Amino acid sequence: MHGFPLSRRALPALGLGVMAAPARAELARAELARAGFAPDLAEKLAAGLRSGLLRGVHAVLVARHGRVVLAHYGQGADESWGQPLGEVAFGPAVPHDLRSVTKSVVGLLYGIALGRGAVPPPGAPLLAQFPEYADLAADPSRQRLRVANALDMTMGLRWDESRPYTDPANSEIAMENAADRYRFALDRPVEHPPGERWTYSGGAVALLGALIARGTGQPLPDFAREALFAPLGIEPGGWAAGRDGVPSAASGLRLTAPDLLRIGQVVLQGGMWEGQRVVPAAWLEAMNRPGIPTGDGLRYSHLWYQGGGFVPAFGGPRPWLGANGNGGQRLYLMPAAGLAMACFCGLYNQPEQGATPLRIWREIVLANLLRA
């Protein structure tokens, strides 16, 4: 085990911009080599940034087997839930919007709450958990809805988040503007039987956030702090709420890059953190089973993406888990390699916003892992 441990509250910045001194640069190269990476990994990231192929990068952290081996923090214009923040110099203590990476964090929170018996299991009828909407529960076309359909985004209800999040016709924005967000999410027109097709839906996650809050008796951010953040030593940077005061389970969380990396590490460690059980093992096992196809070569399960990437060190592809957010926010995990990568970008609502973090993951991190 080499590099620097994730358990330290303030992670040392190993990456670009802080390694100018030859001795420190040589130390970083030696750490990378010991971790099984090409020793010029940092230089390759720097070249990608200089070339313009990697756009809008605010932060990149890479860890292997719980040790940080690469860190880069940049500078650029940023925003929080659409509100400009101006030019920001990023660093290990600077929080950043996670946007829809929040969904995957909520997936872990649901598993923790389920382990405590506070929320219904995936097989439970969904509308039965919202007795205030008896008229919707009486609709035969909705009676097959299960909690699992919200967890896997297979509710079969019309939902369109393909529009920019600046467009009020975007379904998540329309939900935020609705008088009752939960009725809005549940009374969309039925397009497919539940479980048949994957449709990206912030509404599904809003429903899960409500179940967590109702079942635990705590607002979602408070439960997250007690059940997940405090055990990992995380101090959240905020959780945006809608006009109705309800924290957004779909996109509202702000964390630092090191804190997001810790969340990835607890997943890689089977739900354990410094000898303490944080996330139930059974939940993570279910999360890793093949999920519903998303239509673009990925699968989806329990609010996490599932993909695969070629790794030279393994001589073939290996599966990875991903949490994706608008603007290029990413958390990538490859259990077989003990790898975690957190990435923040400022490419909100831009076409091809996912290209930059995916190129860093595939062409720099995985392509330069030389030892299994």
Side-chain angles (χ1 to χ4, degrees):
M1 300 280 282
H2 303 283
F4 290 88
L6 277 167
S7 57
R8 290 184 183 176
R9 187 65 189 91
L11 291 175
L14 279 180
L16 310 175
V18 297
M19 301 306 299
R24 296 193 68 185
E26 189 59 34
L27 172 63
R29 291 171 64 87
E31 293 287 0
L32 284 165
R34 281 194 289 268
F37 282 100
D40 60 347
L41 183 69
E43 288 90 334
K44 290 179 178 180
L45 176 61
L49 294 168
R50 287 194 303 268
S51 72
L53 292 175
L54 304 177
R55 300 172 45 244
V57 177
H58 290 167
V60 177
L61 282 180
V62 178
R64 189 168 197 208
H65 302 309
R67 315 288 287 197
V68 175
V69 296
L70 179 66
H72 165 74
Y73 294 100
Q75 181 169 328
D78 198 23
E79 61 181 58
S80 180
W81 246 36
Q83 298 301 310
L85 298 176
E87 192 78 4
V88 178
F90 297 95
V94 178
H96 198 283
D97 270 17
L98 298 192
R99 298 297 173 96
S100 288
V101 174
T102 306
K103 294 177 171 68
S104 300
V105 176
V106 170
L108 298 179
L109 293 174
Y110 200 91
I112 296 170
L114 180 63
R116 298 181 179 187
V119 292
L126 181 60
L127 278 161
Q129 316 310 316
F130 295 88
E132 63 268 39
Y133 308 129
D135 58 320
L136 298 178
D139 180 352
S141 66
R142 302 174 195 273
Q143 289 174 356
R144 289 173 53 195
L145 280 169
R146 296 292 182 266
V147 171
N149 299 131
L151 286 164
D152 295 342
M153 296 190 183
T154 58
M155 294 173 63
L157 305 181
R158 182 182 302 166
W159 197 269
D160 182 8
E161 290 191 44
S162 63
R163 299 169 181 266
Y165 289 92
T166 53
D167 186 341
N170 178 299
S171 293
E172 184 176 332
I173 303 306
M175 176 182 67
E176 289 294 336
N177 292 331
D180 182 339
R181 66 176 61 226
Y182 306 126
R183 172 174 280 278
F184 182 90
L186 287 166
D187 77 352
R188 298 302 87 203
V190 176
E191 292 191 326
H192 311 288
E196 278 195 359
R197 299 188 187 184
W198 182 81
T199 300
Y200 187 74
S201 172
V205 190
L207 298 171
L208 296 168
L211 294 182
I212 294 171
R214 294 178 183 190
T216 63
Q218 302 180 70
L220 184 62
D222 291 354
F223 178 70
R225 184 185 296 272
E226 176 260 312
L228 180 61
F229 298 156
L232 272 58
I234 290 173
E235 182 60 42
W239 200 314
R243 296 177 182 177
D244 55 4
V246 176
S248 171
S251 60
L253 182 58
R254 287 174 63 81
L255 293 178
T256 67
D259 286 344
L260 180 59
L261 202 65
R262 284 190 184 90
I263 289 174
Q265 193 62 38
V266 80
V267 173
L268 289 177
Q269 293 172 179
M272 300 294 293
W273 187 262
E274 296 183 346
Q276 178 183 352
R277 167 65 60 189
V278 178
V279 183
W283 184 258
L284 296 179
E285 290 168 8
M287 193 175 91
N288 278 279
R289 295 186 195 118
I292 185 79
T294 63
D296 57 0
L298 303 178
R299 290 180 176 271
Y300 198 79
S301 175
H302 293 56
L303 304 183
W304 285 76
Y305 291 92
Q306 302 170 335
F310 184 85
V311 187
F314 289 92
R318 290 295 184 274
W320 53 256
L321 292 170
N324 296 0
N326 183 346
Q329 322 323 319
R330 295 293 187 271
L331 176 61
Y332 288 124
L333 308 174
M334 183 170 281
L339 269 178
M341 185 188 97
C343 181
F344 293 154
C345 297
L347 306 173
Y348 307 104
N349 295 314
Q350 295 188 27
E352 306 299 325
Q353 58 186 269
T356 286
L358 191 58
R359 293 193 79 164
I360 295 173
W361 175 240
R362 286 179 174 174
E363 300 173 21
I364 294 180
V365 176
L366 297 185
N368 289 284
L369 180 65
L370 305 181
R371 189 174 70 246

